[in-house]
Amino acid sequence: MTTQATAVGNVPAALTTFVGRECDLAEVRRRLGATRLLTLTGAGGVGKTRLALEVAAVSATDFADGVWLVDLAPVRDPALVANATASALGVPDLGARPVTDQLAVFLAHRGPLIVLDNCEHLVDACAELAHALLSASPGLRILTTSRRALGIFGEHVSAVLPLPLNDAVELLRDRAAAVRPEFQVTDHNRAQVQQLCEDLDTLPLAIELAASRLRTLTVGEAARRLADRFGLLASGSRVARPHQRTLRGLIDWSYELCTPAERLLWNRLSVFAGAFGLDAAEAVCAGDGIGREEVLDLLDRLVVQSVVLPTEHEGMPRYRLLETLRQYGRERLAESGEEQRTLRRHDTFYLALAEHIADSWYGPGQHESLARLRAEHADLRAALERGCDPQATLALAAALRFHWCEGGFLGEGRRWLDRALAAAPEPTPARARALWVAAWVAVLQRDHATAYRWLEEAGALGEQLDDPVLCTEVQSLRGTLALFSGRLEEAVSLLGEAAAALVRAGEDIEAVYALIQMATAQSHLGDPRTTQTCRQAVALAEAHDERLARAHAQWTLGYDAWRRGDLAEASLMIRTALENERGFNDHARVALMLDELAWVTAAAGHHTEAGRLLGAARGLWQDIGMPIAAFGPHMVEQHAQCEEEIVRTLGRAAYETVLAEGGGHRGPDEAIAYALRTAPEPTAAPVPTAPAPAPSPLTPRERDVAALVAEGLSNRQIAAALGLSPRTADRHVENILGKLGFASRARIASWWTANQATAS
């Protein structure tokens, strides 16, 4: 399968044709129009998932809010059903409230179709989730596939039966022709084909597996071999249902026809909880009978035999086993005595992958790294859940910090970190790092008490282990907590010291985040050094081609420019920050940026556009059930002032109209695109052409410095010309920028030229 190129939803586009079941397809679509919860039931291999996916694909235009597939096969813990659903729909797990509640808020004003696939091992959890979401969203429809019904009020059940014989024959012909193009069903072989399909109980999965064998066998040979296999199987079991015997016998036969190396790979691939990439298959499955260079060829051979299915996730080629075949392979792996060794290789690979992404995070490729972690989420979760080595599990939970904090999995990340910290209390470097990550997660969740508790232990352990970088990172987070608590002078002191130490240690991007928070505190204090701090953060981020830190720094610089009254620079910086935020799906950060862009737009006199921007921000806040107040009282105050100005200008009714016009986007990326179309392009503020009537705000020495800036001299050259220290010259230039409300030396030069007579 590959991801369908549609604007809404994640319905996979099939790589094979949908054969038969025209009546079933029409009936399921009809029933979905009349009921809000429909469950497709049937035996394993009967085609429930394939029918559900076809229904979803052909119904895409019926649901304006999209059609969304939630694959529950890799989910083992019932508590994570809601998480899997939120992830599929792109709803971030912020951990501030139960994920089911977040989904209910998100879906309250939407009407999508959600397909919950493979529910049979999670029936109770699926039933609870379906009931909660259907109660919250009148427009929602849910289609589930399961071997048994959910059993809740309002559920309609549709039994999926084996294919009619004619459809089964056509499916065999279609799949056999894919591996043997000259294959046809003729008068000569029709009876044998029909007999083969009947022997397979016309089960689609069994037919697909058998068809792959017609590449080398005739229909007659395949039928005779299967007859022998079914005879042996029937003599060994009197309790299995007929369809189960047929499918098990067919899988046994397919397994026996594999080469020893193919069987070995099938067994080892069964440790993957979800889809996997070639690099994972090579790392986990090679060795002891399979050369690393052999894995790709063996995978291709299993694909041809319909054991492994090729798929795709966000542009990355992947492979997967159908759940029935994965379970079969896991049984064989356990019988071989290799299970624990293969699981250890699995855990080692995913720890190495997570640590590599964490170590190389600061730089280009962040979007791709988050996509890779999303693709591997099921197997990362499986490795964490096993927890075979507590210290390795602790290291994995900490290495996934960007997955948790930037990828939208805060709640789940906190649960794994809490569990791993409890299981590994020893004072190790892995624990020290995990404590700092756990504190970061708690800060983002606004749980300051827990953050302080983790930071206290992390700081003490960092000193015990003589890890100065960790100790500085702890201090930086303490500075952030001081900022969020309103202790601004303390925040500036802690963050300034931390930023300087991080730069000395070569941790430039960690320093960027310290500088960003420091600049925010400085701005609220009216500190003239704010702009310089912002520009230092932007320069460090740009030097590393780092998107997220750069976006955050540009946003902070835009906020500072707005407070200084430089609306052109404020608009430019916030718009640039929004461009860099594309693709990261951060509802809260984008909502904050949109709100601030609305303030800038209103201050420039564009009140209609500002109202629409507030509407776009409001939609994102509603989607995550979080108010802007979570980011401090100053944000509430400034939002209210902007709103009051718009209402005063447009009137309450007109404001409500434009507010509604700005909402209704399907996520941060749509809201960003809308904002960049809506907000007016920034224009440079005019430079005064006449002397200011008020006296110059500059001291005589500052006027001397301004004159030399106008001549194009650098700070170092100014210091030499006036007999000053370089630091004093830097301070004079910063003071001039602050007093005049400018953001660049060029503005000082223009001001000096226009006001030379007065300044002298």
Side-chain angles (χ1 to χ4, degrees), residues 212-497:
S212 71
R213 292 300 173 184
L214 298 182
R215 182 167 53 96
T216 54
L217 298 175
T218 66
V219 175
E221 288 171 336
R224 283 192 297 275
R225 288 172 179 252
L226 279 173
D228 293 341
R229 161 55 58 188
F230 291 152
L232 289 172
L233 191 69
S235 66
S237 173
R238 294 184 178 274
V239 295
R241 291 181 298 179
H243 291 331
Q244 289 178 325
R245 289 204 304 268
T246 298
L247 188 57
R248 177 70 184 208
L250 193 281
I251 296 174
D252 281 338
W253 180 62
S254 296
Y255 186 84
E256 290 169 4
L257 290 178
C258 289
T259 66
E262 290 168 354
R263 291 179 209 157
L264 204 53
L265 183 60
W266 182 345
N267 295 350
R268 293 174 182 175
L269 291 175
S270 69
V271 301
F272 291 107
F276 52 88
L278 176 61
D279 59 341
E282 290 174 336
V284 175
C285 301
D288 300 318
I290 299 177
R292 192 180 186 90
E293 71 285 353
E294 296 179 276
V295 172
L296 177 58
D297 179 59
L298 291 171
L299 267 176
D300 285 342
R301 282 149 60 178
L302 290 178
V303 168
V304 170
Q305 295 167 43
S306 296
V307 173
V308 172
L309 301 180
T311 183
E312 189 177 290
H313 181 92
E314 299 187 43
M316 293 175 285
R318 315 275 291 166
Y319 300 91
R320 71 182 182 94
L321 290 169
L322 287 176
E323 185 61 14
T324 302
L325 302 183
R326 192 194 70 80
Q327 291 173 357
Y328 181 90
R330 192 64 174 267
E331 290 175 16
R332 293 290 190 149
L333 182 66
E335 292 169 2
S336 72
E338 281 197 336
E339 185 175 29
Q340 293 307 311
R341 180 171 57 189
T342 309
L343 288 173
R344 284 194 297 272
R345 287 176 176 169
H346 177 279
D347 293 351
T348 298
F349 172 79
Y350 282 102
L351 174 58
L353 174 67
E355 289 183 331
H356 172 72
I357 288 176
D359 292 343
S360 59
W361 173 258
Y362 295 125
Q366 290 174 328
H367 186 268
E368 293 77 9
S369 293
L370 288 178
R372 178 68 191 271
L373 291 172
R374 284 193 297 272
E376 305 291 359
H377 189 84
D379 280 280
L380 292 166
R381 181 187 285 157
L384 288 165
E385 194 164 13
R386 275 192 296 274
C388 299
D389 178 348
Q391 289 296 323
T393 303
L394 201 57
L396 177 58
L400 289 171
R401 54 191 175 273
F402 298 109
H403 186 47
W404 309 138
C405 297
E406 299 291 357
F409 295 95
L410 276 179
E412 186 172 346
R414 179 161 181 173
R415 288 190 292 276
W416 289 121
L417 284 160
D418 287 350
R419 175 172 161 174
L421 285 165
E426 299 81 9
T428 61
R431 181 173 180 83
R433 175 58 58 184
L435 286 165
W436 176 78
V437 175
W440 181 18
V441 169
V443 168
L444 294 177
Q445 291 183 318
R446 306 299 187 266
D447 184 354
H448 294 182
T450 299
Y452 277 120
R453 177 162 56 87
W454 289 138
L455 285 176
E456 184 176 356
E457 184 181 349
L461 190 51
E463 291 180 3
Q464 179 183 334
L465 297 171
D466 192 23
D467 187 339
V469 171
L470 178 65
C471 290
T472 304
E473 290 172 335
V474 167
Q475 179 173 336
S476 181
L477 263 186
R478 283 179 174 147
T480 298
L481 282 168
L483 169 64
F484 289 170
S485 301
R487 304 192 307 275
L488 302 181
E489 292 86 355
E490 179 187 346
V492 170
S493 175
L494 288 170
L495 291 162
E497 292 174 4

Side-chain angles (χ1 to χ4, degrees), residues 158-182:
S158 179
V160 180
L161 303 175
L163 290 168
L165 182 58
N166 288 342
D167 287 351
V169 169
E170 176 56 21
L171 179 63
L172 183 74
R173 185 208 62 76
D174 182 86
R175 300 303 191 256
V179 296
R180 185 176 167 188
E182 69 276 12

Side-chain angles (χ1 to χ4, degrees), residues 673-725:
Y674 176 80
L676 295 178
R677 293 194 307 269
T678 300
E681 291 283 349
T683 56
V687 176
T689 56
S696 170
L698 306 184
T699 66
R701 174 57 80 189
E702 288 168 350
R703 291 201 296 271
D704 293 339
V705 172
L708 295 176
V709 168
E711 293 178 14
L713 273 65
S714 67
N715 286 10
R716 187 171 294 277
Q717 291 169 328
I718 292 170
L722 298 178
L724 306 173
S725 70

Side-chain angles (χ1 to χ4, degrees), residues 712-746:
L713 273 65
S714 67
N715 286 10
R716 187 171 294 277
Q717 291 169 328
I718 292 170
L722 298 178
L724 306 173
S725 70
R727 189 177 187 85
T728 300
D730 291 343
R731 189 167 61 251
H732 280 312
V733 173
E734 290 172 0
N735 288 342
I736 293 167
L737 289 168
K739 287 182 176 181
L740 298 179
F742 293 160
S744 68
R745 297 167 67 88

